[in-house]
Amino acid sequence: MSPVLRVCGLYPDLMNIYADRGNLILLQRRCEWRGIGFEFSRCGLGDRLDPSAADLLYIGGGQDRDQALVAEDLVANKRGAVHEAAGSGVVLLAVCGGYQLLGESYALGERTLPGVGLVDLRTVRGTGPRLIGNCVIEADLGGGPRQIAGFENHGGRTHLGPGATALGRVIKGHGNNGEDRLEGVCKGNVFGTYLHGPLLPKNAWLADVLIELALDVELDPLDDTLEQLAHQTALRAAGV
Ligand code: GLN
């Protein structure tokens, strides 16, 4: 029987800016082009998350206001299931606002939003300007160092704790906090990043890594002429 990638979008209506939905479309297409099935489910405010019902969990970016709604619900209703899923090897991709909520907390002035505590990181709203622009990082997800290109726009500054490993090193742009040149987080099959773009259409190779991890398969290559052009264009936009 051919495999099926089961993707669950966490709060897809609230956590979805800068075309983050394109990440899901790309995952779907790259599965379908290879004869791999694709199933998408949504898990929103108040919904129960079944930790064994998806191979890949996805949460996109969001405004502070939407993040506040999501943070309360995530911690109150889904924390245990998110930990259970991650502990059993389910892939989790979190972008920007979603990434911030993977950590301990997101402090916004007077208010502190709780995170699910899946990775050792904290985010604080900086007093400086938002960190905006095209960004390129170098990451090694097993096959040697490769570049990931995207667009970042965040007021929050994320600081990794001693228990966390960055997804990559910043080549161009700001990254986690504009200071330490680190970007994102990576822990087992959990990936967090500030890069929108959307991320996966600009880095199709990364989508394939995630699908391989989620299904524990080795994928056949596709004709990626257009995808490579998109990747090169995103690198050039950042000045790389
Ligand atoms: N609201 C968060 C911040 O400004 C995340 C923004 C985003 O997802 N682009 O830091």
Side-chain angles (χ1 to χ4, degrees), residues 100-145:
Q100 294 169 338
L101 299 182
L102 294 187
E104 300 303 325
S105 54
Y106 176 22
L108 287 148
E110 308 275 276
R111 189 162 184 203
T112 297
L113 306 184
V116 281
L118 199 56
V119 281
D120 182 14
L121 60 85
R122 278 175 180 70
T123 302
V124 289
R125 192 72 137 106
T127 46
R130 294 183 71 80
L131 304 179
I132 304 175
N134 291 298
C135 181
V136 174
I137 68 170
E138 189 173 79
D140 188 346
L141 300 181

Side-chain angles (χ1 to χ4, degrees), residues 46-78:
D47 294 339
R48 194 183 85 83
L49 176 66
D50 177 349
S52 61
D55 309 300
L56 191 152
L57 297 172
Y58 176 73
I59 180 164
Q63 315 286 354
D64 290 350
R65 207 185 108 263
D66 294 331
Q67 265 180 291
L69 291 172
V70 163
E72 300 297 337
D73 185 79
L74 193 58
V75 171
N77 299 321
K78 301 180 181 60

Side-chain angles (χ1 to χ4, degrees), residues 15 17-18 20 60-65 67 95-98 100 106 108 123 125 130 152-157 194 196:
M15 301 298 281
I17 49 175
Y18 299 116
D20 285 340
Q63 315 286 354
D64 290 350
R65 207 185 108 263
Q67 265 180 291
V95 174
C96 202
Q100 294 169 338
Y106 176 22
L108 287 148
T123 302
R125 192 72 137 106
R130 294 183 71 80
E152 58 181 328
N153 181 353
H154 48 110
R157 269 74 168 158
Y194 270 114
H196 298 274

